[in-house]
Amino acid sequence: MSMVEEPLYPIAVLIDELKNDDIQLRLNSIRRLSTIARALGEERTRKELIPFLSENNDDDDEVLLAMADELGVFIPYVGGVEHAHVLLPPLETLCTVEETCVREKAVESLCRVGSQMREIDVVDWFIPLGKRLAAGEWFTARVSACGLFHIAYQSAPEMLKTELRSIYSQLCQDDMPMVRRSAATNLGKFAATVESAHLKTDIMSMFEDLTQDDQDSVRLLAVEGCAALGKLLEPQDCVAHILPVIVNFSQDKSWRVRYMVANQLYELCEAVGPEPTRTDLVPAYVRLLRDNEAEVRIAAAGKVTKFCRILNPELAIQHILPCVKELSSDSSQHVRSALASVIMGMAPVLGKDATIEQLLPIFLSLLKDEFPDVRLNIISKLDQVNQVIGIDLLSQSLLPAIVELAEDRHWRVRLAIIEYIPLLASQLGVGFFDDKLGALCMQWLQDKVYSIRDAAANNLKRLAEEFGPEWAMQHIIPQVLEMISNPHYLYRMTILRAISLLAPVMGSEITNSKLLPVVINVSKDRVPNIKFNVAKVLQSLIPIVDHSVVEKSIRPCLVELSEDPDVDVRFFANQAIQSIDQVMMSS
């Protein structure tokens, strides 16, 4: 049944629920405003529903948030764009409430409505609304007003544009820091709509006011404005107006502002261009890498590779590498971790010789870091270095550290290494893998931690896929099958798991001749857990082997297990027998 044909009774109920004391019912009704509007028709929606919502502004924040959201897509229900202005009064009221998320949603909906309104309606209705909010007595209205100017400005005639720029300038100097913060946040959007002649004068003077604000929360938002304005200005204006601000901000007394500069530095470099970056921003960046606040160093360290890509290798080696060496032994583990996550990307930038001389020692020191995340961040990016220095050097220098990690006392570190083994295998090649890492992979199958054993079984499957069944037949299968006689039942269960994962990769013939006999033999194990896992494995082998094998080997084994004294063994054996019957019926 379509929404339009819904009976009137539920509509009446929904309208009543808009006034109900129960918040959940009101919320439900608000979320179905479009249903109510369809039932009422466009005219009644404009004349009755919207005025009712305008008065209904002292409700719970959750209800107001839902209302602000719904009204943003309400234009079709009030009669299209020519009547869009009727949606402005309830949204204007919502722009003044105390709860931030309601105001933000109301501003978002106003922008959505305003961007669809006809130009004449924007001038008659939307711009006056923006001016009222900007002159609001309570700061919440003025905060909301800042987010509307980029919509209002585009449709305004010349006289009004001058007035709007003047009002925005006043908001940038408002007494309340919250208003100035909102003005700083929205300056980029507003600037994008302003003509270039006024950009250099009016907008830049607003920007300068914000960059010199006494509140660091305003200044740090102005940092984002640097990147946004930089994209709008000509390169020479950018160097004249934006560059000095960035350099000053990189030495700001508030660490939060310096943190924002470190975080946004790459975007700021793009804004000012390569030459000023080399001359002016390199010293600023070096200061940030050596900042006394760990948070600033973390943000700066995370950008080190991106920054080096802008520079030529000589500059990077001369200025950035000494800082990188210092950061690799930083007192904060989070700084070292941030550095480890990106430092491998420097290898292609610096080239082979510099990587071997300068970067390899840093990689090794990070690989031996006491903090597991630092070590893992290095290992996950090894392929980037492999491309530059080649496999022989990489294996000589890094392999001992990898082996050390594989036996780390933290099981999560061992787990992460296992997950990277297939990646290492593909990078290092089959010969290298057999010599150095093969034994480790078998060792993990007998780890004390279940997650490691399970990951090790998965790892064998991925290696068999990587190197092919023939290699697996030679290097994996014999060793795995040997372990099935381990005295501890948990390890025998891991081998069963490995067999079930390897069988699809190995194919019908090897499964038939090598894997299946072992599984059937284990069905006589004395531990029930092993026996019901045998039933599960046999069920997984049914699609892989021939029907004749199923009937000759698998079914008799399952029938025997289905008469086992243990209830779980009987259950899984019967489940597997049903699976055979289904396969037989379908074929």
Side-chain angles (χ1 to χ4, degrees), residues 516-532:
L516 184 57
V518 172
V519 178
I520 287 171
N521 195 27
V522 181
S523 70
K524 296 178 175 52
D525 200 286
R526 67 183 195 285
V527 179
N529 291 42
I530 296 287
K531 287 192 278 192
F532 76 65

Side-chain angles (χ1 to χ4, degrees), residues 64 70 124 168 232 283 338 349 395 484 487 495:
L64 295 180
E70 287 290 325
D124 291 346
Y168 203 91
L232 300 171
V349 178
S395 58
I484 199 71
I495 300 307

Side-chain angles (χ1 to χ4, degrees), residues 3-4 11 33-42 45 49 74 77:
M3 291 288 195
V4 181
I11 299 300
L33 271 181
S34 54
T35 309
I36 299 173
R38 280 194 190 108
L40 290 175
E42 292 169 357
T45 297
L49 181 62
F74 228 64
Y77 308 119

Side-chain angles (χ1 to χ4, degrees), residues 33 50 53 66-75 87 90-91 94 109 113:
L33 271 181
I50 301 297
L53 294 174
M67 192 199 302
D69 195 19
E70 287 290 325
L71 289 173
V73 292
F74 228 64
I75 289 180
L87 297 171
L91 285 169
L94 292 172
S109 290
V113 172

Side-chain angles (χ1 to χ4, degrees), residues 299-317:
K303 296 283 184 289
V304 75
T305 296
K306 271 184 157 185
F307 194 80
C308 285
R309 282 194 195 120
I310 304 172
L311 309 176
N312 55 39
E314 291 76 36
L315 267 175
I317 292 166

Side-chain angles (χ1 to χ4, degrees), residues 243-252 258-259 261-262 265 279-294 296-298 300-301 307 319-320 323 326-327:
L243 191 60
V245 174
I246 299 170
V247 173
N248 285 341
F249 273 157
S250 71
Q251 303 170 64
D252 197 278
R258 300 197 303 276
Y259 171 83
V261 173
L265 197 76
T279 53
D280 296 274
L281 287 186
V282 168
Y285 184 53
V286 168
R287 270 197 302 274
L288 294 168
L289 286 170
R290 290 177 168 150
D291 200 275
N292 54 4
E293 279 293 336
V296 179
R297 296 199 302 279
I298 290 168
F307 194 80
H319 296 288
I320 309 299
C323 301
E326 289 166 24
L327 292 174

Side-chain angles (χ1 to χ4, degrees), residues 99-167:
E99 181 52 50
T100 308
C101 60
V102 176
R103 290 202 309 272
E104 285 173 353
K105 187 54 80 176
V107 168
E108 188 187 312
S109 290
L110 271 175
C111 290
R112 198 179 296 160
V113 172
S115 62
Q116 294 174 63
M117 286 170 73
R118 298 175 307 182
E119 212 161 284
I120 184 166
D121 291 335
V122 172
V123 174
D124 291 346
W125 300 94
F126 194 88
I127 293 175
L129 175 149
K131 284 159 69 175
R132 282 196 300 278
L133 287 173
E137 197 176 329
W138 194 235
F139 80 91
T140 51
R142 304 200 296 280
V143 167
S144 298
C146 298
L148 303 176
F149 274 70
H150 65 287
I151 300 290
Y153 193 84
Q154 294 173 64
S155 304
E158 202 49 52
M159 283 291 290
L160 263 177
K161 281 183 173 175
T162 309
E163 189 183 351
L164 289 174
R165 290 196 302 274
S166 161
I167 294 170

